[in-house]
Every structure is written in C-alpha cells, then in structure tokens.
Amino acid sequence: KNLKCVSVIVHVCSGASKSIFYQMLEQLDSYPRLKMCMRATVYESGPVDFKSSRGVQFMKDATRTTKVPKLAVSAAFAALPILDTVLLPEFERQRRRFWRILVEKRLPGPTLLI
C-alpha cells in the first residue's frame, strides 16, 4: 500500500537518551517506513554519564522531603567504592555501546540540543 508519510520529530527529554532512545535507534532499521518519516531530533539535555555517587546524592536530597533513613544513605555512600569497582567494566561496556549507537544510527535531519 502507498501510505502517506507523516513527519516525525523525536524530542528526547532528560535521561531518556540513556534509558530508551538509543535502544529505539538500534531497532529502527527494522522499520524503514518509520525511519523514512523521521525529520529531526531534539535533545532537551545532552546525554550525560552518571556515577553511582550521583544516585546516592539524589537519595540524600530525597531525605529532606521523604522518610529515607539517614542510615540507608550512609550505607549507600559506604558501598559506593565497592559497587563502582565491581560494576565498572559493565558500565564501561554499556557506555561504549550507547555512544556507538548514537553516532552510527543518527536519525535523518537536523539535531538540536536545547
């Protein structure tokens, strides 16, 4: 069938590029008609690499508004060096894959970073 192509602009918000967008790009070759309709990509913020300490800092900030026990925050900070050492190879593998896909599978049209 001869279907009309509707222009699609992908707007990637916050950490979505790290969580789902790159996986969508990886699968997009399986949908050539959809890819043909893509016109542009807008990133609300750039893809950022986070360390475990950022997650714990988020939890620490949450203790001001929720009832996360301070002991849990202290335990998380204490475990950071061990977790980062053990998980670092996996984090690096995921990071390389993420950036490779973002570079190789770029959508057609302009890219805007706001």
Side-chain angles (χ1 to χ4, degrees):
K1 292 181 179 179
N2 201 2
L3 297 175
K4 183 179 177 183
C5 183
V6 177
S7 296
V8 176
I9 297 174
V10 178
H11 184 176
V12 183
C13 300
S14 194
S17 62
K18 198 103 186 195
S19 60
I20 190 88
F21 180 63
Y22 84 98
Q23 294 174 15
M24 183 200 81
L25 286 176
E26 193 173 40
Q27 299 297 318
L28 200 55
D29 289 337
S30 300
Y31 303 94
R33 298 190 94 169
L34 176 61
K35 188 173 183 176
M36 187 176 72
C37 296
M38 299 290 187
R39 299 290 182 246
T41 308
V42 177
Y43 289 95
E44 197 168 291
S45 62
V48 178
D49 293 324
F50 293 105
K51 293 184 176 181
S52 301
S53 58
R54 183 65 193 122
V56 174
Q57 185 63 43
F58 176 76
M59 189 169 77
K60 184 178 179 183
D61 293 342
T63 60
R64 295 184 184 119
T65 57
T66 62
K67 296 184 178 188
V68 175
K70 292 186 190 253
L71 181 59
V73 174
S74 298
F77 271 114
L80 281 180
I82 297 165
L83 289 175
D84 283 341
T85 301
V86 170
L87 298 176
L88 187 62
E90 179 61 19
F91 291 159
E92 289 299 322
R93 186 188 67 72
Q94 289 176 358
R95 184 176 295 124
R96 283 191 303 274
R97 178 174 176 246
F98 167 72
W99 283 105
R100 179 183 51 77
I101 291 169
L102 281 184
V103 170
E104 291 176 1
K105 307 272 185 181
R106 193 177 78 80
L107 290 176
T111 299
L112 174 65
L113 177 63
I114 55 175

